[in-house]
Each structure stands twice: as structure tokens, then as C-alpha cells.
Amino acid sequence: MTETLAEFSAAAPAGSKSEQAYQAVKARIVEGTYTPGYRLVLGAIAKDLGFSVVPVREAIRRLEAEGLVTFERNVGATVAGIDPTEYLYTMQTLSIVEGAATALSAPLIDAVAIARARAVNEQMRECLDHFDPVRFTQLNQEFHSVLFEHCPNPHILDLVHRGWNRLAALRSSTFRFVPGRARDSVDEHEALLKLIESGADADAIEKAARLHRSATLDAYLAQAKTI
């Protein structure tokens, strides 16, 4: 992205200034423009957006609650760093809750939703030739959202959303770090869709969804050991 935060804000849907600031700063974190450790100077961000500091401060507090921002004494707000242990725990937890959410959603996923998920997965496959990890990650979340958003248990769904939020700062770099995992991920998506289409039992769908998530974690940890 090359647009300024002000341009991003102008393009955002109508809403409160706090919401616009939140969306603008979060986008920069997720895309990697604001890297781990980057200092978020409220006054500078507010100036870019054309807002007062108040809505920016509210947005930063919201991002802190999601784990994307931390506050350090004598430093202020900074983009949260990549903690390998936190990544491990988050991915382990997400594999469990997202697997459960996908299994519970499966009976409620109709042919239209299946077609939408498959179309997204084909876009992911097209990304493989000229790999764009940011685009791939966005599509990956879109794909999985189709499968877990039908979950009838709001508590489990909330845990899934929390897990994705914790990973948001790292998502754009995960497939950049292990690009070879991307092709396997696309194939596993298709296998998961076929399970749902065939009316497979909940245990089989949950296991497939969990293994899909844990395989990405395994690839990440294996690569981390070589650095």
C-alpha cells in the first residue's frame, strides 16, 4: 500500500473517527507497514488522519486489547512483537476451537457457501505462481471465515475470533516465513470442503480442521529451528 493514512480513512466506510482510526492502524500492522516494535506516536497518526488524538487513543487501546499493541514505560504504544511461545500457544488453541467451530458449522454450510469457499481457494491457488503472502493471508482468512462463521455456539466463535486477532500481526509474515506451506494449505482446504460436502461426521471434520492448523504451526516451528 502506498496511500497515506488520511487517504485510507477517506476510503473507509462511514463510521466514527475511532473506528476509522482503528481500521487504518490495524491494516498497517497486519500488512507489515508497522512492524513489531514500531512506535505508534499518537500525535503523528492523528495528524495523518486529520483527527484529534482522542479517537486515535481509543483505537490504540482497542488494538491493545486484541494483543496487537503493547504499552511500554517511557516508550508508549508500540506494535506487539512476535513471541514464539505466544505464537505456539495461540496456534495450539486456535487449532482446537476453530476445529470445533468448523465441525459445528458443517451441517449449516449450504452449497452456496461451499461454492464461495471453493472460489476463494482457487484465488489462493492462483497466488501460488507469483506468491503474495499478504494477499494469500487475506484470502486464507476469508476461506476459513466461510467455514466457521456458521458456528451456532457464540462462545466458541468468540474464541476463534480472539485467536485470529492475536495472530493478525503475524499473519502476513507466516506464509512469507514458510512459503512452501502455502501449496499444501490450498490442497488441504479442498480436502476439507469435500469432507463437508460428503456429510462426513463431526469428528472427521474437526480432526481435519485441527490437523490443517497444526501443520502450519509445525512448519513454522521447523523453520524457526534452522534460523
Side-chain angles (χ1 to χ4, degrees):
M1 282 180 70
T2 59
E3 72 267 33
T4 64
L5 287 177
E7 289 170 336
F8 185 98
S9 176
S16 70
K17 291 181 178 179
S18 176
E19 176 66 20
Q20 292 181 48
Y22 165 79
Q23 294 293 345
V25 176
K26 183 174 183 177
R28 289 298 178 92
I29 293 174
V30 172
E31 292 173 358
T33 302
Y34 292 165
T35 56
Y38 182 90
R39 186 182 177 194
L40 300 168
V41 181
L42 303 189
I45 294 173
K47 183 178 180 180
D48 279 344
L49 288 170
F51 296 159
S52 70
V53 172
V54 174
V56 176
R57 181 180 294 113
E58 292 172 351
I60 295 300
R61 289 295 184 185
R62 183 174 168 187
L63 291 165
E64 181 191 19
E66 293 180 0
L68 300 183
V69 170
T70 59
F71 279 87
E72 298 180 32
R73 182 177 299 178
N74 300 321
V75 176
T78 61
V79 176
I82 299 172
D83 182 339
T85 301
E86 180 66 17
Y87 178 75
L88 169 64
Y89 293 159
T90 300
M91 286 289 280
Q92 287 177 336
T93 302
L94 190 56
S95 71
I96 295 170
V97 296
E98 189 176 26
T102 301
L104 289 171
S105 293
L108 305 175
I109 299 174
D110 60 19
V112 174
I114 288 287
R116 180 155 60 95
R118 183 163 278 128
V120 172
N121 201 42
E122 284 307 307
Q123 291 181 61
M124 295 178 71
R125 195 180 299 280
E126 291 170 4
C127 281
L128 296 175
D129 293 333
H130 303 285
F131 194 56
D132 178 350
V134 173
R135 172 66 173 157
F136 189 88
T137 293
Q138 292 169 341
L139 290 169
N140 186 53
Q141 182 166 2
E142 185 178 344
F143 173 87
H144 284 286
S145 292
V146 175
L147 303 190
F148 65 66
E149 288 294 352
H150 291 78
C151 179
N153 186 319
H155 298 292
I156 292 177
L157 190 57
D158 178 63
L159 291 173
V160 174
H161 288 157
R162 287 173 181 269
W164 276 91
N165 283 335
R166 289 193 187 96
L167 290 176
L170 187 60
R171 296 305 297 174
S172 64
S173 62
T174 301
F175 287 108
R176 182 180 292 119
F177 192 62
V178 284
R181 172 67 191 141
R183 190 172 298 278
D184 289 340
S185 184
V186 170
D187 292 339
E188 289 163 15
H189 285 175
E190 178 59 28
L192 186 55
L193 289 175
K194 287 181 178 178
L195 277 177
I196 295 172
E197 281 182 310
S198 69
D201 62 59
D203 286 344
I205 293 172
E206 180 173 357
K207 182 179 179 180
R210 287 181 63 175
L211 288 176
H212 170 65
R213 175 67 56 196
S214 61
T216 299
L217 172 60
D218 291 343
Y220 181 91
L221 294 177
Q223 181 65 22
K225 289 179 180 178
T226 66
I227 297 177

